[in-house]
């Protein structure tokens, strides 16, 4: 339900979804997402142990990936969707990784190593907002559940500023 609300309010470039979710599973989420006008053209990538390509594509997923996914497979899916530069191109990809847990940030950094030309790190919501104001990333990987300034607060702060809304 929370993800549907965010999709209706935020301008998104990509949605990833697991199928095995409590309450509303990923299949129902995909079905309901297509009725959200703001998200009707946002590519959705299913990343799940219960990935079913036929059903995923029938419900409008842009890609269906079986967990566990490799860094290369994730990168290729982002390239195929036009959200990440292909290897060997001159286009750059600057990624901001945000989590209040430094170990989680470093695990993400390992996953993005070689995919991004620049990896920036922020260890909390306030630090993330400041990092975006200093230097605009192409992609933000953001933990939503953080103390003090949550990921939701970060998204809201970036959305209200015309310079950071996209």
């Amino acid at each position: 339900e929370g993800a549907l609300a965010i999709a209706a309010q935020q301008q998104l470039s990509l949605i990833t979804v697991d199928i095995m979710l409590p309450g509303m599973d990923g299949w129902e989420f995909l079905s309901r997402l297509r009725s959200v006008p703001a998200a009707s053209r946002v590519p959705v990538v299913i990343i799940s142990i219960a990935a079913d390509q036929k059903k995923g594509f029938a419900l409008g997923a842009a890609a269906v990936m079986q967990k566990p996914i490799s860094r290369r497979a994730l990168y290729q899916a982002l390239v195929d969707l036009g959200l990440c530069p292909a290897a060997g191109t001159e286009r750059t990809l600057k990624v901001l990784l945000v989590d209040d847990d430094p170990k989680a940030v470093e695990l993400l950094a390992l996953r993005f190593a070689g995919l991004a030309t620049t990896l920036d790190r922020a260890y909390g919501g306030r630090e993330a907002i400041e990092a975006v104001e200093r230097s605009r990333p192409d992609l933000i990987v953001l933990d939503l559940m953080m103390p003090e300034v949550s990921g939701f607060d970060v998204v809201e702060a970036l959305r209200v500023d015309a310079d950071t809304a996209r």
Side-chain angles (χ1 to χ4, degrees):
E1 293 292 333
L4 285 172
I6 290 170
Q9 297 170 359
Q10 307 295 326
Q11 183 177 357
L12 304 173
S13 299
L14 175 71
I15 297 171
T16 62
V17 64
D18 191 359
I19 297 303
M20 312 267 301
L21 298 171
M24 178 191 315
D25 69 14
W27 301 125
E28 183 179 347
F29 172 80
L30 277 171
S31 295
R32 292 179 56 190
L33 181 67
R34 293 304 161 208
S35 66
V36 177
S40 64
R41 295 184 183 264
V42 176
V44 176
V45 176
I46 296 171
I47 303 174
S48 180
I49 196 139
D52 177 339
Q53 286 194 343
K54 287 182 182 179
K55 189 171 185 178
F57 290 136
L59 289 172
V64 179
M65 304 178 77
Q66 183 80 37
K67 278 184 180 178
I69 61 170
S70 69
R71 182 174 60 200
R72 177 173 283 205
L74 175 60
Y75 170 73
Q76 191 57 53
L78 294 175
V79 168
D80 292 347
L81 293 170
L83 298 173
C84 189
T89 64
E90 292 184 27
R91 195 169 149 219
T92 61
L93 178 66
K94 182 175 186 170
V95 178
L96 174 62
L97 306 173
V98 184
D99 199 308
D100 59 308
D101 180 355
K103 290 179 182 176
V105 170
E106 291 312 310
L107 283 172
L108 285 168
L110 287 172
R111 281 292 190 206
F112 278 91
L115 301 177
T117 50
T118 305
L119 276 177
D120 290 335
R121 295 161 175 84
Y123 302 99
R126 184 166 287 109
E127 193 175 326
I129 294 167
E130 292 168 359
V132 171
E133 289 171 350
R134 280 192 310 271
S135 176
R136 303 285 190 269
D138 299 305
L139 174 68
I140 301 172
V141 179
L142 176 66
D143 180 20
L144 296 177
M145 305 304 289
M146 294 184 290
E148 295 180 34
V149 179
S150 74
F152 295 105
D153 297 331
V154 171
V155 170
E156 183 59 28
L158 297 178
R159 187 181 71 79
V160 297
D161 183 344
D163 291 335
T164 59
R166 295 202 72 226

